[in-house]
Structures are given as C-alpha cells and as structure tokens.
Amino acid sequence: LLAFASILKGPAKGTMVSIVVQALPSLLELLKDPKTQIRETTAWTFVKIALYTHEALQDPEALMHIMPALLLSLRDKPKISNQICFVLHNMAEVLVAQENCPSGPLSPFFKDTVRALWANAFREDGFSENVNLANNSFASLSNIIQFSADDTQSVFPEILGMLLTEFNNTLGKGFKFPTKTLEYQGYLCSAMQTVFIKSPGGIKVEMATPIVEAILNSFHHRQTVYDEGILALSGLSTAVGKDFTQYMEGLGPFVVFALKSQAETSLCRVAVGCVGDLARSLEQKISEYLGQFMPIMMDILRNADTDRSVKLVILSVISDIAISSGRFFIPYLPEVLEMLRSAAYLTLQPFNNDDPDMPLYISNLTDSIVESYTGIIYGLKEAKNSDSLDPFVPKLFEYLTALCQNMEVMKPDLRKAIGGLIGDLIDLYDTRAKTFAQSPFLTKLMQILDESKLKDHMQVAKWLKSCITKATKQAKQFIDLFN
C-alpha cells in the first residue's frame, strides 16, 4: 500500500488512473480491515489518489460506492478520520460541476457529507492522537460548500441554522468543549463565511440579524475582535447587500478597533478587506462611514512600520470606496492622490537587491496603484467631476508612460489594466487629453492587447481605440490639458 500510494505522482497520469480504477474495489474493502494500521494506510492512499489521480474517482457509479465507504470511515479512529477529512477536502476541489451545469459529481452526496463532517467536528475523541478533528472537519466542510454545485443551495438555510445554533451554544455555559470555545467560534464563523460567499444577495435580513447579533455578542464576550468574526460579517454584508446598512451602528466600532490594531497584521488586514466588502455591498451608503474608516487607513499608509501587505490591500480598497461613494470621496482625493503619487515614484526606482521580497512587492504595488487609480477615475466619471484630479493628471500620464516602456515584458493582466485606465482617463478628459491620446506608445499597447487573442484584452484594446479616436477628432478649440 505504501509503495502503491508513493508512486501515484510519478508515472504518466493516464496509466495510473486506469490502475487506480482497477484497485478501487480492493481499497474500499481495506478501509474495513480489522487492523488499524491497514485502514490508516488505506485512508492515506485515498488522500494521494484525490491529489494525483482524482480522475479515477469521478465516475458516478464508482462514487456510489466510494462516498458511503469514506463517510463510514470518517467515524473510525481519529487518525484515520483525519485522513478521510483530507480526502473529502481534496475531492471537493477537483470533482466540481461542469460549466453551465447546475449539478456536480458530489451533489447526490452533499447533504450526507455535510452531516457526517458536522458530527465528526464534535467527537469526544476529536482532540486525541495528536490530531484536531474539529479543525479538519470544518475545513473539509467549508470546501464541500465552497465548491458545491448550484443544486445544493437549497440545503444552505439548514446549514446556517446548524452553525448559528452551535455558535450561540458557545456563548453559554453548557458548551460541549468549554476549553475549546474560542476555537469553535472561529471554526463556525469560517464555515458561515463560506456559505455567505456562495450566496451573494441571497441572505435575507431575517436570517442575517441573529447572525450579526451572535457574532457581535462574541466580540463583547471576548472584549476584543478576532479575524474569523470580521471575515464572517464581511461575507455576510456581500450576501445581504444594501440592507446591511442597518447593522453598521453595531459593527462600525469593531471594524475601527480592528483597523487600529496595526500590531496584529492579520486582524488589521482582514478589517481593511471588510471595508472593501462593505463599500461594494452598501454602495453609495458607504459614504456615511468614510469619516470613520478613511483617516485610519491613511494613517496606516503613512506609517513606515506597517506591514506592506496591509498597505497593498488598502490601495485596492480605496478603489472600491471611490467607485461606490462617487462625489462623496472627493474630500479625501487630494491626500489619496498625493499618497499614490509617492507610491508610484517608488515603483520606478531601483530596489534593494538584498531584499528577496522586494521584486514581488514592487510588482504587487504597481498592480494596486493602477487598480486604485482606476477606481478613482471611475468614481469621478460617475460623479461628473474631474476638477479635483486635474493637478495630478500630468504626473499620472508620465507614470503610465514610464511603465509602458517595458510593456513587452509586463504581466498581461497589468498591461490590460493600464490599457483600461488610460482609456478611462482619455474618456474622462475627452479633448483635453488630445496630446496624450496621440502618444506613439499607445498604438503599440493596443497592438499587443489585440494580438493576445484573449477576449477581455481585445475588448480593452477596442475600448482604448474608441476613446483615442473620440478625443483626437473633437474640435480643436478646446484647451489641451497636457500641452
């Protein structure tokens, strides 16, 4: 068994898949072997099969035998059960529904799998044998939900009900694992977040209200904020949409607290991401809370000691805020644009080769800067207001021109993003951008985008060309901002 599992990654996949298919009946029988070591090794073999030869598991008739056997083995000793959790976790990722198909290979087993993993997460022996069945059961449960097909969503309300009931149990004195309360709250929040992400706009206020109350109650109990709780509420905002505004009075102070927790990088980063989700969910109503969030995020950007990853997320979130808040973002524009100008300057400078992380950071920073500018331009277009941007536009075009000096070796997605941003700028300024619209490098940029044969890249090239044509054909009496 050990030798068989060890070679699964090696030979040609087609060869191994056919061998695994032939071996499956024997392997399923070995899951019931009286010797613990044999069952444990067999479970580990299934982990390797799910990783390297998962095609052997996708036949519907074979799954009718495989899934019941795996769910039965989930009840086995903790080490064996732990391996089965990994098998289910991996199967969820690879046995997905085909495009435009409402059902997937694992759909017939979805409800039974959810219930089995749920029971497994609360086993009395779940923390023995140096394993954490609670953690791994919830991780598998989240994957099963995340990669589930559309025809399983009717079960989501039942799942949310189970999660909420057990979460409320953790807030009382009679919880089954009193020394593991905080851990289980994290597991339950993570599973809820997965359901929310799979239900955009699909969670009603009637279901959302008790969930928000429970998680906020846990913040009060702990007298602090934790990552999973913020992530769950962030996901819930996406699932609820504009109606989530009614919860902001209670949630807002906790998000502020998390944003100020810069010493806890993970929590601070999660809070910044939450602000982005809130901006997308609340749309223009996010403007009512900019006074709470924007000053803190600008302080974070100015702080030299703040983790780089947090700053990158903030630049992306600024894009979401600018798009959603429109004209209400204008008071923050001068400071944001000055910050972006400084960051853009950094990306064009030679970096310290002694720092192995610097090349990736500069690459990600460039992506975030372009994304942030794109959101700002879009928001100003919607607000029909470009005046606040005028002093910064010449430097912005200089930056984009400098970036495009190496467009041949540029990441394709960045090239597409720059093309879209330049099109938006020319569209916003129209005839005043005539000189820049005639820049020779734009012809080359459009050519590379068009020759990529990628549909979205070709669409950007077409959009950019239409903006350039419009700007250069307008009446010459207009003032050119870039002369």
Side-chain angles (χ1 to χ4, degrees), residues 362-399:
I362 293 297
S363 175
N364 291 336
L365 179 59
T366 304
D367 293 341
S368 297
I369 289 169
V370 172
E371 181 181 359
S372 191
Y373 273 126
T374 301
I376 289 170
I377 301 304
Y378 183 90
L380 291 174
K381 283 173 65 176
E382 291 295 301
K384 296 179 173 59
N385 185 323
S386 63
D387 295 346
S388 302
L389 188 63
D390 288 352
F392 298 88
V393 172
K395 286 293 183 182
L396 173 54
F397 273 132
E398 286 181 19
Y399 176 59

Side-chain angles (χ1 to χ4, degrees), residues 316-338:
S316 297
V317 165
I318 283 174
S319 175
D320 296 322
I321 294 173
I323 291 172
S324 296
S325 58
R327 62 188 176 87
F328 296 103
F329 188 73
I330 291 174
Y332 304 96
L333 203 53
E335 187 178 10
V336 169
L337 289 172
E338 186 59 39

Side-chain angles (χ1 to χ4, degrees), residues 89-362:
H89 185 281
N90 294 336
M91 287 178 68
E93 293 184 11
V94 295
L95 301 184
V96 295
Q98 297 295 316
E99 189 175 357
N100 299 321
C101 183
S103 187
L106 297 180
S107 290
F109 315 100
F110 181 76
K111 185 178 286 190
D112 287 342
T113 305
V114 167
R115 288 175 175 169
L117 287 168
W118 179 261
N120 213 49
F122 295 93
R123 282 173 50 161
E124 294 285 355
D125 60 353
F127 297 93
S128 61
E129 298 185 13
N130 295 317
V131 299
N132 185 339
L133 277 185
N135 178 59
N136 293 327
S137 296
F138 272 110
S140 297
L141 175 62
S142 292
N143 247 30
I144 290 289
I145 296 169
Q146 180 181 348
F147 294 98
S148 63
D150 292 343
D151 62 351
T152 64
Q153 293 196 8
S154 61
V155 187
F156 286 3
E158 179 184 341
I159 296 173
L160 279 179
M162 293 161 54
L163 292 167
L164 178 58
T165 297
E166 201 59 49
F167 191 90
N168 281 324
N169 288 340
T170 68
L171 300 174
K173 295 181 178 179
F175 183 59
K176 186 175 182 180
F177 303 100
T179 62
K180 303 287 185 180
T181 297
L182 303 186
E183 291 179 42
Y184 272 95
Q185 286 178 355
Y187 303 149
L188 292 161
C189 280
S190 295
M192 281 192 269
Q193 181 199 10
T194 307
V195 178
F196 300 149
I197 291 172
K198 289 285 288 187
S199 312
I203 303 295
K204 303 300 181 185
V205 169
E206 293 77 15
M207 172 59 81
T209 298
I211 293 173
V212 173
E213 290 175 349
I215 296 176
L216 294 185
N217 197 10
S218 72
F219 292 162
H220 286 293
H221 274 235
R222 294 188 181 202
Q223 296 184 326
T224 190
V225 180
Y226 54 102
D227 295 23
E228 298 91 345
I230 291 290
L231 284 168
L233 292 173
S234 184
L236 183 57
S237 73
T238 302
V240 173
K242 288 183 181 179
D243 289 338
F244 197 80
T245 309
Q246 63 189 282
Y247 308 118
M248 287 301 296
E249 183 178 350
L251 174 60
F254 289 110
V255 176
V256 168
F257 176 87
L259 286 173
K260 289 182 177 179
S261 303
Q262 295 179 40
E264 298 180 52
T265 299
S266 176
L267 178 60
C268 185
R269 185 168 53 240
V270 163
V272 173
C274 179
V275 173
D277 284 340
L278 290 171
R280 289 187 292 271
S281 302
L282 304 186
E283 298 179 7
Q284 198 170 81
K285 290 182 180 180
I286 190 63
S287 61
E288 300 173 23
Y289 309 98
L290 295 186
Q292 295 182 48
F293 303 144
M294 282 301 298
I296 304 173
M297 291 197 294
M298 296 309 296
D299 285 343
I300 294 173
L301 288 175
R302 281 189 291 265
N303 188 342
D305 296 327
T306 302
D307 189 273
R308 293 169 179 169
S309 64
V310 178
K311 294 183 177 184
L312 292 176
V313 179
I314 289 178
L315 292 179
S316 297
V317 165
I318 283 174
S319 175
D320 296 322
I321 294 173
I323 291 172
S324 296
S325 58
R327 62 188 176 87
F328 296 103
F329 188 73
I330 291 174
Y332 304 96
L333 203 53
E335 187 178 10
V336 169
L337 289 172
E338 186 59 39
M339 194 74 70
L340 286 172
R341 187 195 63 77
S342 299
Y345 176 79
L346 176 64
T347 65
L348 298 177
Q349 303 309 303
F351 49 78
N352 183 4
N353 290 322
D354 295 334
D355 184 349
D357 298 325
M358 186 58 72
L360 179 59
Y361 171 65
I362 293 297

